[in-house]
Amino acid sequence: MKVKQISIFLENKQGHLLEVVDALAKAKINIRALSIADTSEFGILRIIVPDPEAAKKALKKGGFTFNENDIIAVGVSDTPGGLAKALAVLSEEGINVEYLYAFVSKAEEKAVVVLKTDKLESSIKTLKKAGISIIPPKEVYSL
Amino acid sequence: MIWDQKAECMPHKEREELQLERLKRIVKYAYDNVPFYKKRFKEAKVKPEHIQGLKDIQKLPFTEKADLREGYPFGMFAVPRKDIVEVHTSSGTTGKPVVAGYTRNDIDLWSEAMARALTMAGTSRDEIIQNCYGYGLFTGGLGVHYGAQRIGATVVPISAGQTKRQIQIMVDFGTTILTSTPSYALYLAESAEEEGLSKRVKLKAGVFGAEMWTERMREELEKRFRLHALNIYGLTEIIGPGVAQECMEKSGLHIAEDLFFPEVVSPDNLEPLAEGEKGELVITTLTREGMPMIRFRTKDLTSLTRGKCKCGRTLVKMSRITGRSDDMLKIRGVIVFPSSIEKALLAVKGVEPHYQIIITRPHHLDEIEVQVEVSQKMFSDEVRRIEETRKNIEDSIEAEIGLRVKVTLVEPKSLPRSEGKAKRVIDKRAL
């Protein structure tokens, strides 16, 4: 149930984000979801793409520093309190959320929340038990 | 393997006799043939006949790079220009170049010294040497070339640059010995990995020099290329590479002291230091014809250790150069050697030796920024972890040099890669 996410190091310099996005565009890779974590000195671009292998190849060719990580994609109802419920069950289990970001799927009336926690496996179990829908990788890639 | 069993393994006492005999001869020769020495000796009130024992060398005045510059271009030659068959200039890492002249005998001497050095690294006629030192005025390229030719090994005189082609040739020719600067070797290793050709590189040994490097870099090179990474030392003023070379014991460089007489002196008062004490290396060429050097201050910091090496050589060993008495940085009054920063940097897991030190003085106070390229191993999708690594590097440097520096992470390959000597320090202070 884990989704592959690719994280890329970005130096805080003009045009660096463009270079990455451009490299992916040239390789005809569509970005499904993205977020940027930034500090005053550098940033981390996190993306979800339909074909992580192709994206890695393009990034390697471009000479970027990146890695691949597992994340969970959770579907929460696009209503107030949707996200709060998911976070509450994780918190009860003592699971820390490292970061998250969200996007809205075109197909469903649902918000998709991308989650990285310190315990991915038990997060999946906990969320499932609480009846929160976890979106399988295939679906995420084709959203 | 030992190239010149007699010269390299001679009992210490016997060698001292040889050194004294040669010293007497070269001092007189320099005095008689180079006006500079005659003048200097007179000023110091010494005469060649004052040399009765090896210790008497301490009576002689030092020679410095500035003296060679003053004599530019041919003022230090001891023979008519027509007897000089080749000239080289120093690579000019520290100011204007100096000119070195070689007679045919000097080229022969150099070839021998380099044949000894390359043999120490396991070079025989069976090996293929890929020589990435620059050919031309820089002594690196031709020095290695002469030594390899003397041995009869196959030389690939490729010089630096064209990295992809270097790797292709390394694989296709089955290169076994690599000669280059350590930073360029690392760059080659990196590129070989990128090309997916690492596994097909068959290097046995690397003879690395012309710039300072560290034990950590040795580990890195040995791991990446699966070779013996050995240190070579030399300088244009003395002859070029081949003054000293590390054997497979990797515990210091054997100085060819029957040819190049070493002393270590205190950089502060120029007083001779005892064995094992770290100071500035001073060299006297014992047999050089074209341009004899008497007590040349190399400004390189090292220490000497005597004793028979496991390799069988009795030649004195000098420790890896850890700095230069003239390139030490003074930061807020504290002496800092760039090599200490490198050492600290590489002590942090996952950090690769691609860095640059930038010194500024924004508000009347020196600041050091160390830019470090983010390696795959250091990178994480979590800001917290990257920050942790960055802080670890800062802590490690502070523990080593006693100053807090600012570490900035930069994208891989964004710092300039050198094909010769790496430019590690950018001093932007307007002093």
Side-chain angles (χ1 to χ4, degrees), chain B residues 324-393:
Chain B
R324 281 181 60 79
S325 57
D326 64 354
D327 91 350
M328 57 190 193
L329 301 163
K330 265 208 160 171
I331 311 293
R332 291 182 224 164
V334 178
I335 288 172
V336 173
F337 288 107
S339 53
S340 319
I341 294 182
E342 172 168 328
K343 193 178 149 205
L345 199 77
L346 296 179
V348 179
K349 221 180 134 209
V351 179
E352 289 178 13
H354 299 305
Y355 65 96
Q356 203 157 43
I357 301 164
I358 295 158
I359 305 156
T360 51
R361 184 173 281 180
H363 306 290
H364 307 293
L365 200 61
D366 300 335
E367 302 263 358
I368 310 182
E369 179 188 346
V370 181
Q371 295 189 338
V372 183
E373 286 186 5
V374 173
S375 70
Q376 210 80 32
K377 282 178 217 145
M378 283 162 70
F379 182 62
S380 161
D381 60 318
E382 292 171 32
V383 172
R384 189 165 54 89
R385 288 190 204 282
I386 301 182
E387 276 297 333
E388 230 168 63
T389 308
R390 200 180 65 82
K391 210 180 146 289
N392 283 346
I393 299 173

Side-chain angles (χ1 to χ4, degrees), chain A residues 5 7-11 16 19 37-39 41-42 44 46 63-67 69 98-99 116, chain B residues 193-194 374-376 379-387 390 406-414:
Chain A
Q5 169 193 264
S7 308
I8 304 130
F9 179 80
L10 289 178
E11 198 180 322
H16 278 223
E19 278 173 31
D38 66 330
T39 71
E41 272 146 28
F42 62 88
I44 302 169
R46 305 181 184 118
F64 299 101
T65 295
F66 63 92
N67 63 16
N69 354 86
E98 303 282 358
Y99 58 80
K116 166 83 184 266
Chain B
E193 274 161 37
E194 264 164 35
V374 173
S375 70
Q376 210 80 32
F379 182 62
S380 161
D381 60 318
E382 292 171 32
V383 172
R384 189 165 54 89
R385 288 190 204 282
I386 301 182
E387 276 297 333
R390 200 180 65 82
K406 179 183 152 70
V407 168
T408 311
L409 300 177
V410 297
E411 285 182 354
K413 311 227 164 56
S414 60

Side-chain angles (χ1 to χ4, degrees), chain B residues 92-238:
Chain B
T93 7
T94 49
K96 266 186 357 192
V98 299
V99 180
Y102 301 72
T103 63
R104 204 166 289 287
N105 285 335
D106 291 338
I107 295 292
D108 189 58
L109 152 74
W110 193 15
S111 306
E112 278 296 307
M114 270 313 298
R116 288 190 198 176
L118 292 172
T119 306
M120 253 185 249
T123 310
S124 67
R125 295 192 59 180
D126 299 331
E127 309 302 330
I128 299 179
I129 300 188
Q130 189 155 335
N131 185 15
C132 310
Y133 287 115
Y135 279 70
L137 285 173
F138 172 53
T139 50
L142 280 167
V144 167
H145 193 90
Y146 290 145
Q149 298 272 298
R150 179 60 55 102
I151 292 170
T154 309
V155 198
V156 183
I158 193 161
S159 243
Q162 295 186 294
T163 305
K164 272 196 176 170
R165 189 159 154 238
Q166 295 265 8
I167 293 157
Q168 200 57 55
I169 282 182
M170 214 179 268
V171 169
D172 294 346
F173 293 10
T175 304
T176 51
I177 311 278
L178 176 69
T179 55
S180 76
T181 58
S183 55
Y184 188 57
L186 210 56
Y187 182 47
L188 283 173
E190 210 174 58
S191 309
E193 274 161 37
E194 264 164 35
E195 304 276 310
L197 291 171
S198 275
K199 291 251 149 42
R200 294 174 58 198
V201 170
K202 298 272 177 280
L203 293 172
K204 293 182 196 166
V207 176
F208 303 128
E211 68 187 12
M212 258 182 271
W213 53 305
T214 58
E215 281 305 312
R216 205 17 250 287
M217 246 171 119
R218 177 181 346 242
E219 281 168 31
E220 192 72 34
L221 283 163
E222 296 200 330
K223 194 176 85 202
R224 291 196 157 180
F225 267 146
R226 300 175 307 280
L227 47 59
H228 292 286
L230 304 169
N231 214 333
I232 187 167
Y233 176 77
L235 58 170
T236 310
E237 293 85 347
I238 298 303

Side-chain angles (χ1 to χ4, degrees), chain B residues 279-331:
Chain B
E280 192 183 301
L281 181 67
V282 170
I283 298 177
T284 299
T285 59
L286 292 177
T287 54
R288 195 167 173 196
E289 252 178 19
M291 198 173 88
M293 278 291 117
I294 307 294
R295 298 196 90 194
F296 180 75
R297 290 184 61 188
T298 66
K299 306 276 172 97
D300 288 321
L301 300 175
T302 185
S303 60
L304 301 180
T305 327
R306 213 161 265 296
K308 196 170 166 167
C309 181
K310 277 197 195 124
C311 73
R313 291 176 183 84
T314 52
L315 296 166
V316 71
K317 278 195 218 177
M318 62 183 255
S319 65
R320 176 189 284 286
I321 302 288
T322 51
R324 281 181 60 79
S325 57
D326 64 354
D327 91 350
M328 57 190 193
L329 301 163
K330 265 208 160 171
I331 311 293

